[in-house]
Amino acid sequence: MNKIPTCYLSLFILINSLFSSTLLFSATGKVSANNLIESSPKTYYINPNTGNDQNNGTGKTTAWKTFKQINRLRLTAGTTVEILAAGAFHESLVIKADGKQQAPVKLKFAPGRYHIYSALAEKRQLHIANTNDRPDELKAIALMFDKSSYVEVQGAGATMIMHGKMIETFVDHSNNINITGLSFDYNRPTVSELKITNINADYADAVIHPDSKYSIKDSVITWIGDGWSYQPGSYWQVLNPQTNDLSRMNMPMKDLRFVQKKGQEVRIYFKRDAGLKAGHIYQNRDVTRDCSGIFMQYSSDIQLQDIRLYFMHGMGVVSQYCHNIKMDKVVVRPDEKSGRTCAAWADILHFAGCSGKIEVSNSYLSAANDDAVNVHGIHLKITDIQGDHKIRVKFMHDQTYGFKAFSAGDSVALVGAASLLATQDNQLVNAEKLNDKEFLLTLSKPIAKAVKIGDAVENVSATPEVWIHHTTITRIPTRGVLATTRRKVLIEHNTFENTHMSAIFINNDASSWFESGMVKDFTIRENKFIRSGEPIINIHPENTVTGSTAVHNNIKVTDNHFWLHGDRLLEAKSTGNIRISGNTIYNATPDTSINQLLKFTDCIGIDISGNKLTQK
């Protein structure tokens, strides 16, 4: 064998060393762009203050500095990731994990404040229900679970601060994700706040909250945030701190002139009364729906526990076509140290097309710009009937489209658009997505002759059971709970306080928001309703024709405590089998009977008994 020259031998050793290093680096996610499956479980460490991404990341003294290396790995069962200290991160944390029930992947955050910046974060194009003003715009994400299984997050004392509009957590095509203890906030909330300190005939003095950055030019105020700015429109909210009532209002901005005084103080001149009141706090937001706080889609068995949400931009916590969700001890309110009054840009908890069981327990939901809880399905409009087995359907609302609403094997109901009654129950053999708004559905049974173009289809498989209990809902400008699902709904042992509109709203429509569907078993028991808008319970399907069959059925309102401030406890329309019993009603006017507090339109099977009215 010929002897290899020394120079070539040295070069061979060098190349081999580099190649071996590359393999090692790939195994730790440094070079390879592909997801790698680890050979065995290990613990990785990240320290934004003392770490270095050139380290191996497997020891506390050899920790990585950023999330970049973890983002390149696919974590195997039993792996642990420990973030040893809080700090600044200019990238998302993207978890791709294959945990198992007996050996989950664990993610541990040390206490402290984690500043997450949106500029270089992971960004995705997403279609989010009720939130689709900018469907093509990439949405930045702070924490992401991407096709992951059995992940446990422990974050007691850790607060993630968003810099720029971001989805705080995104759970995508994942299962058995348990997030405990984390808190979320914004460096610059996208809702701006000011307090009126003094009112005169033609001007008001105000103090703008320190977190609400702004500028004034030519008497016009511009709100300034992390990567965004806008001039306020007429949509505002007003909070009366003395009564804790939060409501919406129109502000005539074209009639207002802003003049800077000292510090955060401004003077607002007006030609006519703008409705401003001394001591009241006014909130303003850009109404463009472009994001959500937490977004979960096509995932199952998700649990959020001991989570604190100090601020969310967009449509709150959106769960879209998910199965089995539990939210326990979720607190939504501004950080008490911040002095702010708004925690949610719109809804707090929003569930669209979910299945299995939704449970919300031991939680505190407050300080929103819209509803506290909204659970609904989605009606798509039938635009064409092709033969005996095929229908073409379309998303109709501009805020809700673009996602996979059907799968082969799903049970569906073909629903009369005017009656909101099921014309036929059927099953899908195939669901072909034609574009972001349309599907071609192939049905197993011939389409009933009564089905017409213009009617709707509801995915019955995408309807959840709902249990909301031991939760406080307060300081809400609209409704407390909206729930339209044919599965069992139980709302018990909750406190509804200062919902400006109805505390509980049972809707169903195929003409406006296209939020389905019919109610078949709905129980409201042992709750407290304090200073809620009236009717306190509103059962209002948006059917335009009525018949002998009710849209909603089997609604029980029992053993609750109601504090009235008007004369309407409950209104119901097109509903059958309503039982109202054992309730205690306070603040009733003299000689008022329970029947005077109730209004029924096209309802059947009404049972009213054992209710107590008192003037106290």
Side-chain angles (χ1 to χ4, degrees):
M1 184 176 65
N2 294 331
K3 184 177 180 181
I4 301 175
T6 303
C7 61
Y8 289 109
L9 180 61
S10 300
L11 180 61
F12 173 79
I13 293 172
L14 176 61
I15 293 173
N16 184 63
S17 174
L18 290 173
F19 180 71
S20 299
S21 298
T22 300
L23 289 177
L24 176 63
F25 289 173
S26 296
T28 58
K30 277 200 161 184
V31 174
S32 176
N34 299 320
N35 298 333
L36 301 177
I37 300 175
E38 298 172 320
S39 58
S40 61
K42 23 177 107 60
T43 298
Y44 294 105
Y45 298 91
I46 299 170
N47 191 322
N49 304 317
T50 63
N52 189 320
D53 281 354
Q54 301 304 311
N55 293 335
N56 60 22
T58 58
K60 292 184 178 180
T61 59
T62 57
W64 290 320
K65 183 177 181 64
T66 73
F67 296 142
K68 293 178 182 178
Q69 307 294 42
I70 285 294
N71 292 349
R72 293 173 178 174
L73 291 175
R74 185 155 196 93
L75 307 176
T76 195
T79 296
T80 297
V81 179
E82 287 195 32
I83 297 92
L84 298 172
F89 291 89
H90 292 271
E91 65 284 328
S92 311
L93 175 53
V94 181
I95 296 298
K96 299 176 284 288
D98 295 317
K100 297 180 180 178
Q101 185 174 8
Q102 301 303 320
V105 170
K106 295 183 179 181
L107 181 62
K108 299 179 180 180
F109 287 87
R113 294 169 69 85
Y114 294 75
H115 294 271
I116 315 295
Y117 293 84
S118 63
L120 301 178
E122 179 80 9
K123 296 179 176 66
R124 296 288 176 95
Q125 181 180 341
L126 299 168
H127 291 285
I128 306 174
N130 296 61
T131 315
N132 232 8
D133 272 335
R134 294 178 177 172
D136 298 325
E137 183 178 80
L138 295 176
K139 295 166 177 56
I141 300 160
L143 173 59
M144 178 175 177
F145 300 88
D146 187 10
K147 299 179 181 65
S148 294
S149 299
Y150 288 101
V151 181
E152 295 181 0
V153 180
Q154 302 169 17
T159 301
M160 302 183 76
I161 311 294
M162 309 297 119
H163 291 256
K165 295 180 181 180
M166 301 184 77
I167 295 176
E168 294 165 2
T169 298
F170 178 31
V171 181
D172 186 32
H173 289 86
S174 296
N175 66 83
N176 293 284
I177 308 298
N178 188 332
I179 305 174
T180 303
L182 279 178
S183 299
F184 298 89
D185 203 352
Y186 262 58
N187 175 61
R188 194 329 187 175
T190 54
V191 174
S192 301
E193 303 186 22
L194 60 84
K195 182 176 182 178
I196 301 298
T197 57
N198 179 51
I199 289 282
N200 277 278
D202 56 357
Y203 71 85
D205 289 327
V207 175
I208 296 177
H209 192 280
D211 289 349
S212 299
K213 309 303 180 186
Y214 69 97
S215 67
I216 295 175
K217 183 178 180 181
D218 297 330
S219 300
V220 175
I221 190 168
T222 298
W223 301 119
I224 300 172
D226 295 329
W228 56 266
S229 65
Y230 73 95
Q231 294 177 355
S234 61
Y235 173 85
W236 289 70
Q237 289 199 155
V238 55
L239 171 67
N240 182 342
Q242 293 186 340
T243 63
N244 211 27
D245 181 62
L246 180 64
S247 60
R248 293 173 171 179
M249 68 173 293
N250 287 320
M251 188 88 73
M253 296 304 297
K254 66 180 186 305
D255 297 331
L256 304 183
R257 293 189 299 115
F258 289 77
V259 176
Q260 181 67 53
K261 297 176 70 178
K262 63 179 180 179
Q264 295 288 108
E265 298 177 14
V266 299
R267 178 161 289 177
I268 307 171
Y269 288 93
F270 44 81
K271 296 179 180 178
R272 59 185 178 89
D273 184 10
L276 300 171
K277 295 182 179 180
H280 287 197
I281 297 170
Y282 294 82
Q283 305 169 353
N284 180 250
R285 64 179 170 95
D286 180 353
V287 297
T288 304
R289 298 184 176 215
D290 58 0
C291 197
S292 68
I294 294 176
F295 181 41
M296 303 186 289
Q297 68 171 356
Y298 313 124
S299 298
S300 65
D301 299 292
I302 311 302
Q303 179 167 307
L304 305 181
Q305 188 167 23
D306 289 306
I307 300 294
R308 300 185 74 89
L309 295 159
Y310 297 123
F311 186 82
M312 295 183 288
H313 171 67
M315 190 56 66
V317 182
V318 177
S319 304
Q320 182 171 290
Y321 292 91
C322 290
H323 183 82
N324 291 343
I325 301 171
K326 183 175 182 179
M327 299 184 181
D328 183 55
K329 298 179 184 176
V330 173
V331 176
V332 181
R333 68 190 307 171
D335 188 339
E336 294 177 358
K337 299 176 183 178
S338 72
R340 303 195 306 256
T341 62
C342 182
W345 183 96
D347 286 6
I348 295 178
L349 307 180
H350 195 103
F351 304 87
C354 292
S355 59
K357 186 172 184 178
I358 293 170
E359 181 180 357
V360 179
S361 60
N362 305 301
S363 294
Y364 188 92
L365 310 177
S366 72
N369 259 240
D370 213 324
D371 308 315
V373 182
N374 190 352
V375 183
H376 64 87
I378 299 170
H379 276 138
L380 280 78
K381 184 177 181 178
I382 299 173
T383 59
D384 191 21
I385 299 175
Q386 302 178 7
D388 293 334
H389 291 271
K390 291 187 178 183
I391 56 174
R392 187 174 180 133
V393 299
K394 183 178 182 181
F395 286 113
M396 294 305 296
H397 199 283
D398 288 341
Q399 296 288 353
T400 300
Y401 66 91
F403 36 83
K404 185 180 179 182
F406 303 99
S407 295
D410 285 345
S411 297
V412 297
L414 307 183
V415 177
S419 68
L420 294 179
L421 299 177
T423 304
Q424 184 187 30
D425 293 325
N426 217 315
Q427 190 173 25
L428 297 185
V429 175
N430 187 47
E432 179 186 355
K433 184 177 180 180
L434 303 176
N435 51 58
D436 278 346
K437 291 195 173 184
E438 294 182 289
F439 293 84
L440 183 63
L441 305 181
T442 303
L443 306 173
S444 63
K445 295 187 294 187
I447 300 165
K449 295 186 182 301
V451 176
K452 302 183 296 294
I453 293 174
D455 284 346
V457 61
E458 179 186 19
N459 188 340
V460 175
S461 295
T463 54
E465 180 181 344
V466 179
W467 184 24
I468 301 173
H469 62 98
H470 299 94
T471 289
T472 295
I473 294 174
T474 183
R475 199 190 285 181
I476 302 296
T478 49
R479 289 72 58 101
V481 171
L482 287 80
T484 50
T485 173
R486 63 183 61 210
R487 313 285 180 186
K488 181 179 179 179
V489 178
L490 177 57
I491 300 177
E492 62 176 349
H493 303 295
N494 304 291
T495 298
F496 295 83
E497 185 175 8
N498 291 106
T499 59
H500 193 74
M501 298 181 185
S502 298
I504 296 177
F505 186 36
I506 302 173
N507 196 217
N508 186 12
D509 82 90
S511 58
S512 54
W513 279 94
F514 286 81
E515 294 182 356
S516 62
M518 61 185 67
V519 160
K520 294 187 175 184
D521 183 354
F522 200 117
T523 301
I524 304 166
R525 71 185 182 199
E526 299 185 45
N527 303 284
K528 295 180 180 179
F529 297 91
I530 305 167
R531 294 187 298 277
S532 293
E534 298 182 3
I536 297 172
I537 298 173
N538 190 4
I539 307 166
H540 189 82
E542 296 183 30
N543 55 315
T544 56
V545 299
T546 59
S548 58
T549 304
V551 175
H552 295 315
N553 286 278
N554 303 317
I555 296 177
K556 297 175 284 294
V557 182
T558 61
D559 302 312
N560 300 283
H561 292 260
F562 296 92
W563 280 262
L564 298 175
H565 63 79
D567 60 359
R568 188 67 72 224
L569 173 65
L570 178 147
E571 287 189 8
K573 172 179 176 284
S574 299
T575 301
N577 299 321
I578 306 174
R579 179 156 65 92
I580 303 170
S581 65
N583 301 289
T584 303
I585 298 100
Y586 304 91
N587 300 334
T589 56
D591 302 321
T592 298
S593 69
I594 182 66
N595 290 329
Q596 292 173 295
L597 303 176
L598 309 173
K599 181 180 179 181
F600 301 101
T601 304
D602 297 319
C603 294
I604 56 175
I606 301 169
D607 177 12
I608 303 171
S609 63
N611 300 287
K612 179 182 177 181
L613 277 71
T614 176
Q615 297 177 28
K616 295 181 180 180

